[in-house]
Amino acid sequence: RDAGALERALSLAPGSANVLLAASDLSGALARSEEAVGFARQAVEVDPLNTRAHYRLGINLMRADRLEEAESAFQKVLELQPDRGATHLRLGLVELMRSNPEGALAAMEREIAPHWRTFGLALTYHALGRSADADRELDALRDTYGDDAAFQLAEIHAYRGEADEAFEWLERAHAHRDPGLTDVRGSPMLESLRDDPRWVELLGKLGLTG
């Protein structure tokens, strides 16, 4: 999104949840996590029944490593919309960030969206040391969704410490304009890649080095 256009939109419609969420997304993509949290929290205040606002708040709180608050935001999403996809996944990711793979598994198994359930289980089984199960879910994600899941496949490989495969999938995500790349600087699953020289090169391609 164009930053100048967002600034104009914020000045013209400061009470718009959609505009505040767009600003939050842009700040998150630029790794300005506290600013992203602030915009998302404003969106929640403007429209407290907006599940997308609570969901984005949760994601940005995760990026800021504020895990208890993130968990509360995702629980609020489920309170408002129990069948919202990817929310149990996010609760599972919070548990992985807490080094609690058993808790993550309980959350991932409740995820109703097949794509996100498979993604989450691939991460969680790896964290549990269940290599065969982790490989099965990884293969299922790749074989079923292919390049449509390129960013998630990169996250899994990075989480497993497989840097070459992770960068290969990130390049494929870039080639296919995968929207998941907006989370490339914020994803905790990509932490193992950040000291690799290819990381800065990738951010440069994406225009995210500022």
Side-chain angles (χ1 to χ4, degrees), residues 61-97:
L61 287 164
M62 280 181 62
R63 288 169 169 168
D65 202 30
R66 293 161 60 176
L67 300 183
E68 287 189 17
E69 294 173 86
E71 181 181 21
S72 294
F74 294 130
Q75 292 289 4
K76 184 64 177 179
V77 172
L78 292 173
E79 178 185 323
L80 293 169
Q81 186 182 346
D83 62 347
R84 192 185 196 284
T87 309
H88 285 292
L89 164 78
R90 292 292 174 178
L91 287 168
L93 294 179
V94 167
E95 295 303 332
L96 287 180
M97 291 176 71

Tab-separated table of all heavy atoms in Angstrom, residues 61-97:
chain	number	residue	atom	x	y	z
A	61	LEU	N	0.138	-8.130	18.125
A	61	LEU	CA	0.625	-8.389	19.480
A	61	LEU	C	1.590	-9.576	19.495
A	61	LEU	O	2.593	-9.574	20.231
A	61	LEU	CB	-0.554	-8.646	20.419
A	61	LEU	CG	-1.373	-7.407	20.790
A	61	LEU	CD1	-2.710	-7.808	21.388
A	61	LEU	CD2	-0.598	-6.512	21.758
A	62	MET	N	1.324	-10.588	18.666
A	62	MET	CA	2.267	-11.698	18.526
A	62	MET	C	3.611	-11.196	18.025
A	62	MET	O	4.670	-11.578	18.540
A	62	MET	CB	1.725	-12.745	17.545
A	62	MET	CG	0.712	-13.702	18.097
A	62	MET	SD	0.182	-14.886	16.826
A	62	MET	CE	1.741	-15.722	16.471
A	63	ARG	N	3.570	-10.350	16.996
A	63	ARG	CA	4.812	-9.817	16.435
A	63	ARG	C	5.602	-9.051	17.486
A	63	ARG	O	6.839	-9.026	17.452
A	63	ARG	CB	4.499	-8.891	15.259
A	63	ARG	CG	4.014	-9.572	14.004
A	63	ARG	CD	3.501	-8.532	13.030
A	63	ARG	NE	3.262	-9.079	11.696
A	63	ARG	CZ	2.594	-8.434	10.743
A	63	ARG	NH1	2.090	-7.242	10.989
A	63	ARG	NH2	2.427	-8.986	9.566
A	64	ALA	N	4.884	-8.410	18.407
A	64	ALA	CA	5.533	-7.639	19.467
A	64	ALA	C	5.892	-8.502	20.666
A	64	ALA	O	6.361	-7.989	21.685
A	64	ALA	CB	4.617	-6.494	19.903
A	65	ASP	N	5.663	-9.819	20.567
A	65	ASP	CA	5.960	-10.781	21.632
A	65	ASP	C	5.158	-10.494	22.893
A	65	ASP	O	5.618	-10.759	24.006
A	65	ASP	CB	7.466	-10.786	21.939
A	65	ASP	CG	7.899	-12.095	22.615
A	65	ASP	OD1	7.280	-13.147	22.346
A	65	ASP	OD2	8.838	-12.056	23.435
A	66	ARG	N	3.952	-9.989	22.710
A	66	ARG	CA	3.041	-9.748	23.829
A	66	ARG	C	1.987	-10.861	23.784
A	66	ARG	O	0.873	-10.689	23.323
A	66	ARG	CB	2.434	-8.347	23.712
A	66	ARG	CG	3.491	-7.265	23.907
A	66	ARG	CD	3.100	-5.911	23.375
A	66	ARG	NE	1.900	-5.364	23.998
A	66	ARG	CZ	1.419	-4.145	23.734
A	66	ARG	NH1	2.068	-3.347	22.876
A	66	ARG	NH2	0.319	-3.713	24.310
A	67	LEU	N	2.398	-12.038	24.264
A	67	LEU	CA	1.654	-13.253	23.969
A	67	LEU	C	0.345	-13.369	24.753
A	67	LEU	O	-0.651	-13.863	24.215
A	67	LEU	CB	2.545	-14.475	24.217
A	67	LEU	CG	3.824	-14.527	23.364
A	67	LEU	CD1	4.589	-15.808	23.646
A	67	LEU	CD2	3.497	-14.420	21.867
A	68	GLU	N	0.326	-12.939	25.984
A	68	GLU	CA	-0.922	-13.022	26.746
A	68	GLU	C	-1.996	-12.136	26.126
A	68	GLU	O	-3.163	-12.530	26.012
A	68	GLU	CB	-0.681	-12.637	28.205
A	68	GLU	CG	0.075	-13.686	29.003
A	68	GLU	CD	0.095	-13.377	30.488
A	68	GLU	OE1	-0.729	-12.541	30.929
A	68	GLU	OE2	0.919	-13.969	31.194
A	69	GLU	N	-1.600	-10.935	25.718
A	69	GLU	CA	-2.550	-10.029	25.072
A	69	GLU	C	-2.998	-10.582	23.723
A	69	GLU	O	-4.173	-10.450	23.355
A	69	GLU	CB	-1.921	-8.652	24.896
A	69	GLU	CG	-1.632	-7.913	26.183
A	69	GLU	CD	-0.859	-6.637	25.927
A	69	GLU	OE1	-1.492	-5.607	25.657
A	69	GLU	OE2	0.390	-6.691	25.984
A	70	ALA	N	-2.067	-11.184	23.005
A	70	ALA	CA	-2.421	-11.783	21.718
A	70	ALA	C	-3.440	-12.893	21.910
A	70	ALA	O	-4.438	-12.981	21.174
A	70	ALA	CB	-1.169	-12.324	21.022
A	71	GLU	N	-3.206	-13.741	22.899
A	71	GLU	CA	-4.146	-14.823	23.180
A	71	GLU	C	-5.535	-14.271	23.484
A	71	GLU	O	-6.547	-14.783	22.993
A	71	GLU	CB	-3.644	-15.659	24.355
A	71	GLU	CG	-4.559	-16.820	24.707
A	71	GLU	CD	-4.051	-17.614	25.894
A	71	GLU	OE1	-3.245	-17.073	26.677
A	71	GLU	OE2	-4.455	-18.778	26.036
A	72	SER	N	-5.598	-13.211	24.262
A	72	SER	CA	-6.886	-12.612	24.602
A	72	SER	C	-7.593	-12.078	23.359
A	72	SER	O	-8.818	-12.209	23.227
A	72	SER	CB	-6.688	-11.481	25.613
A	72	SER	OG	-6.214	-11.978	26.852
A	73	ALA	N	-6.820	-11.479	22.449
A	73	ALA	CA	-7.419	-10.952	21.228
A	73	ALA	C	-8.010	-12.074	20.383
A	73	ALA	O	-9.127	-11.950	19.849
A	73	ALA	CB	-6.377	-10.167	20.428
A	74	PHE	N	-7.285	-13.184	20.259
A	74	PHE	CA	-7.798	-14.303	19.460
A	74	PHE	C	-8.995	-14.968	20.140
A	74	PHE	O	-9.932	-15.413	19.459
A	74	PHE	CB	-6.688	-15.315	19.190
A	74	PHE	CG	-5.574	-14.780	18.320
A	74	PHE	CD1	-4.246	-14.910	18.699
A	74	PHE	CD2	-5.867	-14.143	17.124
A	74	PHE	CE1	-3.231	-14.413	17.906
A	74	PHE	CE2	-4.846	-13.632	16.322
A	74	PHE	CZ	-3.536	-13.772	16.718
A	75	GLN	N	-8.980	-15.024	21.452
A	75	GLN	CA	-10.143	-15.570	22.166
A	75	GLN	C	-11.365	-14.684	21.935
A	75	GLN	O	-12.495	-15.194	21.823
A	75	GLN	CB	-9.844	-15.688	23.665
A	75	GLN	CG	-8.797	-16.725	24.027
A	75	GLN	CD	-9.279	-18.167	23.853
A	75	GLN	OE1	-10.380	-18.427	23.386
A	75	GLN	NE2	-8.425	-19.107	24.214
A	76	LYS	N	-11.161	-13.378	21.848
A	76	LYS	CA	-12.269	-12.469	21.565
A	76	LYS	C	-12.819	-12.726	20.168
A	76	LYS	O	-14.045	-12.674	19.957
A	76	LYS	CB	-11.801	-11.014	21.693
A	76	LYS	CG	-12.914	-9.996	21.512
A	76	LYS	CD	-13.966	-10.113	22.605
A	76	LYS	CE	-15.035	-9.048	22.469
A	76	LYS	NZ	-16.083	-9.167	23.518
A	77	VAL	N	-11.946	-13.003	19.211
A	77	VAL	CA	-12.404	-13.350	17.860
A	77	VAL	C	-13.341	-14.544	17.922
A	77	VAL	O	-14.432	-14.533	17.328
A	77	VAL	CB	-11.204	-13.659	16.930
A	77	VAL	CG1	-11.697	-14.203	15.589
A	77	VAL	CG2	-10.357	-12.414	16.704
A	78	LEU	N	-12.932	-15.579	18.633
A	78	LEU	CA	-13.752	-16.794	18.717
A	78	LEU	C	-15.044	-16.557	19.485
A	78	LEU	O	-16.067	-17.179	19.200
A	78	LEU	CB	-12.947	-17.921	19.355
A	78	LEU	CG	-11.777	-18.442	18.516
A	78	LEU	CD1	-10.954	-19.443	19.314
A	78	LEU	CD2	-12.274	-19.068	17.218
A	79	GLU	N	-15.010	-15.644	20.440
A	79	GLU	CA	-16.230	-15.287	21.163
A	79	GLU	C	-17.238	-14.642	20.211
A	79	GLU	O	-18.440	-14.913	20.283
A	79	GLU	CB	-15.877	-14.328	22.298
A	79	GLU	CG	-17.064	-13.836	23.102
A	79	GLU	CD	-16.639	-12.803	24.130
A	79	GLU	OE1	-15.546	-12.955	24.712
A	79	GLU	OE2	-17.400	-11.840	24.346
A	80	LEU	N	-16.729	-13.799	19.316
A	80	LEU	CA	-17.603	-13.107	18.364
A	80	LEU	C	-17.984	-13.983	17.183
A	80	LEU	O	-19.083	-13.868	16.635
A	80	LEU	CB	-16.905	-11.833	17.861
A	80	LEU	CG	-16.672	-10.728	18.887
A	80	LEU	CD1	-15.742	-9.665	18.316
A	80	LEU	CD2	-17.997	-10.103	19.309
A	81	GLN	N	-17.046	-14.848	16.759
A	81	GLN	CA	-17.270	-15.674	15.562
A	81	GLN	C	-16.576	-17.022	15.771
A	81	GLN	O	-15.445	-17.218	15.342
A	81	GLN	CB	-16.739	-14.961	14.320
A	81	GLN	CG	-17.049	-15.674	13.013
A	81	GLN	CD	-16.465	-14.957	11.804
A	81	GLN	OE1	-16.048	-13.798	11.891
A	81	GLN	NE2	-16.427	-15.629	10.673
A	82	PRO	N	-17.251	-17.975	16.402
A	82	PRO	CA	-16.610	-19.250	16.758
A	82	PRO	C	-16.061	-20.036	15.573
A	82	PRO	O	-15.137	-20.841	15.758
A	82	PRO	CB	-17.741	-20.020	17.451
A	82	PRO	CG	-18.667	-18.967	17.945
A	82	PRO	CD	-18.617	-17.871	16.919
A	83	ASP	N	-16.605	-19.834	14.386
A	83	ASP	CA	-16.171	-20.618	13.228
A	83	ASP	C	-15.202	-19.860	12.334
A	83	ASP	O	-14.997	-20.235	11.181
A	83	ASP	CB	-17.387	-21.071	12.406
A	83	ASP	CG	-18.187	-19.894	11.851
A	83	ASP	OD1	-17.956	-18.741	12.299
A	83	ASP	OD2	-19.054	-20.113	10.982
A	84	ARG	N	-14.547	-18.831	12.845
A	84	ARG	CA	-13.623	-18.075	12.003
A	84	ARG	C	-12.342	-18.872	11.791
A	84	ARG	O	-11.661	-19.249	12.742
A	84	ARG	CB	-13.279	-16.722	12.626
A	84	ARG	CG	-12.563	-15.785	11.637
A	84	ARG	CD	-12.119	-14.505	12.321
A	84	ARG	NE	-11.791	-13.458	11.383
A	84	ARG	CZ	-10.674	-13.396	10.663
A	84	ARG	NH1	-9.777	-14.362	10.778
A	84	ARG	NH2	-10.452	-12.399	9.833
A	85	GLY	N	-12.021	-19.120	10.539
A	85	GLY	CA	-10.827	-19.885	10.198
A	85	GLY	C	-9.547	-19.174	10.593
A	85	GLY	O	-9.499	-17.942	10.676
A	86	ALA	N	-8.521	-19.951	10.839
A	86	ALA	CA	-7.152	-19.519	11.154
A	86	ALA	C	-6.995	-18.990	12.578
A	86	ALA	O	-5.881	-18.674	12.986
A	86	ALA	CB	-6.635	-18.485	10.158
A	87	THR	N	-8.081	-18.912	13.354
A	87	THR	CA	-7.958	-18.363	14.704
A	87	THR	C	-7.380	-19.381	15.672
A	87	THR	O	-6.500	-19.058	16.484
A	87	THR	CB	-9.312	-17.845	15.186
A	87	THR	OG1	-9.866	-16.975	14.194
A	87	THR	CG2	-9.151	-17.057	16.473
A	88	HIS	N	-7.839	-20.623	15.611
A	88	HIS	CA	-7.213	-21.665	16.443
A	88	HIS	C	-5.754	-21.859	16.032
A	88	HIS	O	-4.893	-22.140	16.883
A	88	HIS	CB	-7.981	-22.969	16.337
A	88	HIS	CG	-9.281	-22.957	17.095
A	88	HIS	ND1	-9.336	-22.908	18.467
A	88	HIS	CD2	-10.564	-22.964	16.664
A	88	HIS	CE1	-10.596	-22.902	18.863
A	88	HIS	NE2	-11.362	-22.927	17.793
A	89	LEU	N	-5.467	-21.715	14.736
A	89	LEU	CA	-4.069	-21.747	14.289
A	89	LEU	C	-3.256	-20.713	15.046
A	89	LEU	O	-2.169	-21.008	15.565
A	89	LEU	CB	-3.976	-21.477	12.785
A	89	LEU	CG	-2.565	-21.102	12.303
A	89	LEU	CD1	-1.698	-22.342	12.193
A	89	LEU	CD2	-2.611	-20.345	10.986
A	90	ARG	N	-3.768	-19.485	15.121
A	90	ARG	CA	-3.019	-18.409	15.781
A	90	ARG	C	-2.826	-18.698	17.262
A	90	ARG	O	-1.760	-18.415	17.826
A	90	ARG	CB	-3.741	-17.080	15.577
A	90	ARG	CG	-3.736	-16.596	14.136
A	90	ARG	CD	-2.351	-16.212	13.676
A	90	ARG	NE	-2.316	-15.872	12.264
A	90	ARG	CZ	-1.225	-15.468	11.619
A	90	ARG	NH1	-0.081	-15.353	12.278
A	90	ARG	NH2	-1.274	-15.191	10.335
A	91	LEU	N	-3.846	-19.258	17.897
A	91	LEU	CA	-3.682	-19.644	19.293
A	91	LEU	C	-2.603	-20.718	19.428
A	91	LEU	O	-1.825	-20.714	20.391
A	91	LEU	CB	-5.014	-20.140	19.857
A	91	LEU	CG	-6.061	-19.055	20.109
A	91	LEU	CD1	-7.421	-19.683	20.382
A	91	LEU	CD2	-5.648	-18.155	21.273
A	92	GLY	N	-2.544	-21.626	18.455
A	92	GLY	CA	-1.501	-22.637	18.458
A	92	GLY	C	-0.117	-22.033	18.284
A	92	GLY	O	0.847	-22.455	18.938
A	93	LEU	N	-0.008	-21.022	17.418
A	93	LEU	CA	1.284	-20.361	17.218
A	93	LEU	C	1.734	-19.643	18.489
A	93	LEU	O	2.929	-19.621	18.809
A	93	LEU	CB	1.202	-19.378	16.049
A	93	LEU	CG	0.969	-19.993	14.664
A	93	LEU	CD1	0.878	-18.905	13.605
A	93	LEU	CD2	2.078	-20.988	14.309
A	94	VAL	N	0.779	-19.051	19.198
A	94	VAL	CA	1.113	-18.433	20.482
A	94	VAL	C	1.730	-19.478	21.412
A	94	VAL	O	2.755	-19.222	22.076
A	94	VAL	CB	-0.135	-17.799	21.121
A	94	VAL	CG1	0.130	-17.448	22.596
A	94	VAL	CG2	-0.552	-16.545	20.358
A	95	GLU	N	1.139	-20.680	21.442
A	95	GLU	CA	1.683	-21.734	22.306
A	95	GLU	C	3.060	-22.190	21.839
A	95	GLU	O	3.937	-22.496	22.670
A	95	GLU	CB	0.709	-22.917	22.379
A	95	GLU	CG	-0.619	-22.604	23.033
A	95	GLU	CD	-0.481	-22.064	24.453
A	95	GLU	OE1	0.503	-22.387	25.137
A	95	GLU	OE2	-1.376	-21.305	24.875
A	96	LEU	N	3.286	-22.248	20.549
A	96	LEU	CA	4.629	-22.593	20.062
A	96	LEU	C	5.639	-21.538	20.486
A	96	LEU	O	6.772	-21.861	20.864
A	96	LEU	CB	4.625	-22.734	18.538
A	96	LEU	CG	3.949	-23.983	17.970
A	96	LEU	CD1	4.027	-23.961	16.443
A	96	LEU	CD2	4.580	-25.261	18.510
A	97	MET	N	5.236	-20.271	20.441
A	97	MET	CA	6.129	-19.197	20.868
A	97	MET	C	6.405	-19.284	22.375
A	97	MET	O	7.436	-18.808	22.847
A	97	MET	CB	5.542	-17.839	20.494
A	97	MET	CG	5.523	-17.588	18.995
A	97	MET	SD	4.717	-16.016	18.558
A	97	MET	CE	5.954	-14.835	19.147
